[in-house]
Amino acid sequence: MDSAAPGPTPSPQPPRPFSLAGKLAFGAGDIGPGMTANLLAFSFLIFLTTTAGLSPVAAGSVLAIGRIWDAVNDPLIGYLSDNTRSRWGRRYPWIALGALPFGLTFFLTWIVPGFQSEGAKFWYYVIMSLLFQIFYTVVNLPYTTLTAELSKNYDERTELTAFRLGSSLTGAISALALGLVISNLIQEPRQQYLVLAAVCSVLSVLPLLWCVVGTYPYAVERGALQPADDPNVAENLPFLQQIKIALSNRAFLFVVGIYLFSWLALQMTASVIPFYTTFWMGMKSYFLAALLVQGTAIIMMVAINWISRRYGKQEAFYAGIGTWIIAQIAIFWLEPGQVAALYLLCVVISFGVAAAYVVPWAMLPDVIELDELQTGQRREGIFYAFMTLLQKVGLAGGLLLVGYALELSGFVSPGVTQVAEEVIQPPSALLAIRVFIGPVPMVLLLAALVLAYFYPITRQKHEEILLQLAERHRSQ
């Protein structure tokens, strides 16, 4: 008796789409990094100069030394993450094991040690910053890499990116909201920062564990763990050669430039807002202005996401950054006491902040697929490592540049026992503060717009890349 002829091989079922709970769990992984990075961006320079007793140059140098280490730290951890082999995959062990040290080292960064010399304090903050940045990279780099591994769909990636960065902004504004509340309840600056750091440290660790538990089933279903025998994993190329290939990707260089210039503008604005509100506007707290910049950005991200879906990623970037440039020009001309106008401009700036958060990160997975098409291998860790590195370089570069500008302009650092807003600054220092919150970020944003205009991967180009990749995978 002849056996029946075999029927056609059934097509593999598409993976189940991310549920709302899955999207929320994925986004939760950026709450802690968003919270900690935002406090550093807005508060660390003014904390070091007005509370810890460091000069502006010494305070800026603390950040610069940390970023020199990051030049090695970020790509190295990206490489190690790409080549990690375990039953839990490449990324999840790093996130789970790094969560607790990440929170602990962040807390220690905000302690004012009892050292008498500025040099001893300087080295304390250098060491704490180095340790924190190591564990920040340990948890955040593998996490951000998951975006490209969990989904290959253009629109789903944009949505996951929006959830991730929306959660990052949620963490960011939560930290500022806590700062506003704590600054009203506690008058002594040292205690304010210490309590704020303690609360944020705890709130930074728990969402990372939620992310691991909530997204791991999706990673298993979609084959995102990428075992050691996955032919698409770059496991044999030398580290320096992988970096060379990443930098030879023309589209990636455009994304790098777009992100670098927009992030520099964001970090520079964030670091100067405390000085601008305190010493130019004469306000007692900077947390509300900072909160408006970050808080309304979550709402603005909905608009940016809609524009991106309807018209394209570049068009969304044009709308957000163009609006932001207008606000940066206006804020330079405000006079002391025009608090309502300041708050309005902070809301306008948030539209551009939303574009700076969403669009470059949404572009990066497309670049990774172009690299796979050109090389036959996937190197998510390397590409995401450079983007994460640039985020930190943007923060360091902005803070260091502002620190030197304040020092050269004659900025007067308040004594440990002085109230910052009661210190009279010379006109040269006030002008430097205004220049670095208006014209300088504006120039950086214009450079980002130019690069976005020439970015080569449109929606149509991305669809062509996916079709070619699908054809290649079917023939293997």
Side-chain angles (χ1 to χ4, degrees), residues 374-398:
Q374 294 173 340
T375 67
Q377 295 180 316
R378 293 186 68 88
R379 282 176 289 270
E380 296 95 340
I382 294 296
F383 285 106
Y384 275 92
F386 276 96
M387 289 288 281
T388 305
L389 170 64
L390 287 172
Q391 178 183 5
K392 297 174 182 179
V393 168
L395 174 60

Side-chain angles (χ1 to χ4, degrees), residues 20 40 63 75 120 151 169 179 184 234-235 271 328 403 421-422 476:
L20 178 60
L40 288 171
L63 274 298
S151 177
L169 283 173
N184 288 328
E235 54 184 329
S271 66
Q328 293 288 155
E421 60 267 21
E422 295 179 357
Q476 288 178 347

Side-chain angles (χ1 to χ4, degrees), residues 206-220:
L206 298 178
L208 285 166
L209 303 179
W210 175 21
C211 174
V212 171
V213 174
T215 64
Y216 184 78
Y218 291 93
V220 173

